[in-house]
């Protein structure tokens, strides 16, 4: 899907600048260019699409629909499944999070997607089947969806909407005001400039956070050696699971990219459950993601979100080690 962006990054870093692909600097810069272009493009496209949706299906109608329909909390499960089938890393999921919030999706349901989307995707599942077998794959995928469902439900019950950033609140207020022009019956062509302008304004509002977040992730991706982690997680003691999660939180990678690393961990004696917990923390929680979320959440809300998901991943790691 994004191969053409990867080709641009390869051409720019390896051909134009002449930096070797086998160097730490080349790896980090390539990662930075690829992820920055991908996330900014995703952000614009998703917000643009949500702008079109909001035009014909306003926020209040969406909220009313969710309140009228008795889904018996299944909306959290559906959001988690949707997150599992979208091939995005934690930072790539943030544009969708912004689009969901902008579209009036309840915050807990949005969190269910945000938790699951980086943890589970179809590429990682295929790689897991080949490397670790069906049992480990089913436990990995099922636990990721369950984690998103329970985490989203819990976060939704905490009524955290007041902890969204003022920037998001202003967007929502503006959208509610713009719903009044729904009665004007303007054509799509007449509304398109406003939709495009709104999407571009949102992209401009978060671009600095994207650059900072991806720069941090790129530095970690290019310069932190794999052996450093494997050496400290192979003992099998109870504390290696929380240590694996705590160490992984500052890292940044997508599920497909980290699966081969997990294979190396397991080959060096790291328990599979501990390795999966490390992977989930790496792809589901990261400093770059927190940097991006700072634009849409207060520090308190980010801390609550990270804290709950971290605890859930640690508990999952203990469970994995008992089952695998």
């Amino acid at each position: 899907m994004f191969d053409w962006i990867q080709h641009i990054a390869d051409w720019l870093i390896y051909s134009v600048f002449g930096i070797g692909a086998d160097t730490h600097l080349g790896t980090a810069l390539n990662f930075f260019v690829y992820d920055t272009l991908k996330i900014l493009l995703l952000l614009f496209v998703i917000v643009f699409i949500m702008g079109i949706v909001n035009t014909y299906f306003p926020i209040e109608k969406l909220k009313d629909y969710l309140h009228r329909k008795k889904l018996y909390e299944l909306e959290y499960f559906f959001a988690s499944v949707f997150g599992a089938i979208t091939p995005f890393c934690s930072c790539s999921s943030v544009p969708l999070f912004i689009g969901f919030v902008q579209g009036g999706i309840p915050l807990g349901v949005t969190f269910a997607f945000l938790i699951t989307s980086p943890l589970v995707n179809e590429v990682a599942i295929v790689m897991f089947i080949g490397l670790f077998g069906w049992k480990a794959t089913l436990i990995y995928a099922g636990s990721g969806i369950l984690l998103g469902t329970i985490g989203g439900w819990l976060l939704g019950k905490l009524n955290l909407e007041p902890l969204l950033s003022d920037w998001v609140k202003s967007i929502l207020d503006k959208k509610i005001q713009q719903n009044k022009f729904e009665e004007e019956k303007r054509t799509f062509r007449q509304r398109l400039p406003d939709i495009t302008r709104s999407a571009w304004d949102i992209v401009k509002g978060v671009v600095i956070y994207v650059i900072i977040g991806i720069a941090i992730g790129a530095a970690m991706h290019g310069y932190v050696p794999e052996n450093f982690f494997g050496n400290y997680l192979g003992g099998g003691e109870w504390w290696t699971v929380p240590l694996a999660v705590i160490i992984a939180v500052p890292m940044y990678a997508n599920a497909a990219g980290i699966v081969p690393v997990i294979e190396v961990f397991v080959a060096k004696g790291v328990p599979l459950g501990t390795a999966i917990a490390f992977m989930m923390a790496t792809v589901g929680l990261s400093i770059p993601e927190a940097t991006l979320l700072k634009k849409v959440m207060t520090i308190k809300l980010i801390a609550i979100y990270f804290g709950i998901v971290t605890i859930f991943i640690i508990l999952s790691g203990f469970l994995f080690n008992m089952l695998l």
Side-chain angles (χ1 to χ4, degrees):
M1 182 178 180
F2 299 107
D3 288 346
W4 62 275
I5 299 179
Q6 185 63 68
H7 292 323
I8 292 175
D10 292 344
W11 170 77
L12 183 63
I13 301 302
Y14 303 144
S15 298
V16 175
F17 291 106
I19 301 174
D22 56 346
T23 64
H24 292 303
L25 180 61
T27 301
L29 289 177
N30 186 284
F31 185 91
F32 174 78
V33 172
Y34 171 76
D35 259 42
T36 300
L37 292 177
K38 181 184 72 171
I39 291 172
L40 290 177
L41 177 63
L42 274 172
L43 178 61
F44 179 82
V45 170
I46 292 167
V47 173
F48 180 81
I49 293 173
M50 291 305 299
I52 296 174
V53 172
N54 291 337
T55 298
Y56 294 98
F57 193 29
I59 292 174
E60 293 306 315
K61 288 185 179 180
L62 181 58
K63 289 181 178 177
D64 290 343
Y65 174 83
L66 291 172
H67 287 308
R68 285 198 318 271
K69 298 295 182 179
K70 297 297 183 181
L71 298 179
Y72 303 102
E73 313 294 352
L74 287 177
E75 60 268 30
Y76 299 101
F77 172 74
F78 294 146
S80 293
V81 172
F82 178 63
I85 62 177
T86 52
F88 298 136
C89 62
S90 57
C91 289
S92 300
S93 302
V94 173
L96 277 173
F97 177 89
I98 295 173
F100 284 6
V101 173
Q102 181 192 16
I105 304 295
L107 191 58
V109 178
T110 303
F111 271 125
F113 166 84
L114 184 65
I115 293 170
T116 308
S117 181
L119 293 184
V120 183
N121 68 58
E122 65 274 19
V123 177
I125 288 175
V126 171
M127 296 175 68
F128 240 79
I129 293 173
L131 294 175
F132 304 116
W134 281 99
K135 180 181 178 181
T137 302
L138 290 174
I139 291 175
Y140 154 66
S143 62
I145 293 173
L146 183 63
L147 184 65
T149 302
I150 297 176
W153 176 83
L154 179 59
L155 289 164
K157 297 304 180 184
L158 294 178
N159 297 317
L160 300 172
E161 284 78 4
L163 297 181
L164 290 171
S165 69
D166 292 337
W167 181 75
V168 172
K169 293 176 183 177
S170 68
I171 289 177
L172 296 178
D173 291 340
K174 186 183 300 183
K175 285 296 178 184
I176 292 174
Q177 293 298 321
Q178 287 177 349
N179 287 340
K180 295 179 179 178
F181 88 359
E182 185 70 15
E183 300 177 357
E184 299 176 11
K185 304 301 181 183
R186 293 200 296 171
T187 66
F188 176 74
R189 180 175 295 182
Q190 290 171 326
R191 298 176 185 184
L192 189 58
D194 289 331
I195 295 171
T196 305
R197 190 178 307 111
S198 177
W200 180 239
D201 287 343
I202 290 175
V203 172
K204 289 192 296 184
V206 301
V207 64
I208 186 62
Y209 294 90
V210 171
I211 292 174
I212 293 174
I214 301 303
I216 295 171
M220 293 178 175
H221 184 81
Y223 287 94
V224 178
E226 296 173 4
N227 289 340
F228 174 82
F229 301 103
N231 291 337
Y232 290 95
L233 303 178
E237 293 84 355
W238 70 267
W239 47 264
T240 57
V241 173
L243 177 62
V245 174
I246 293 171
I247 291 176
V249 167
M251 302 296 294
Y252 174 51
N254 59 40
I258 199 68
V259 169
V261 177
I262 297 306
E263 182 186 19
V264 174
F265 282 10
V266 173
K268 292 185 177 181
V270 176
L272 182 55
T274 304
I276 294 177
F278 177 89
M279 183 189 76
M280 283 188 161
T282 301
V283 302
L285 301 169
S286 66
I287 290 178
E289 180 189 18
T291 304
L292 289 173
L293 289 175
K294 180 63 178 66
K295 186 63 178 179
V296 296
M297 302 180 190
T298 60
I299 294 293
K300 183 177 180 180
L301 180 52
I302 294 174
I304 292 172
Y305 166 64
F306 269 53
I308 289 177
V309 177
T310 297
I311 291 172
F312 280 3
I313 292 177
I314 291 174
L315 294 176
S316 298
F318 288 127
L319 179 62
F320 296 152
N321 280 337
M322 287 190 294
L323 296 176
L324 297 173

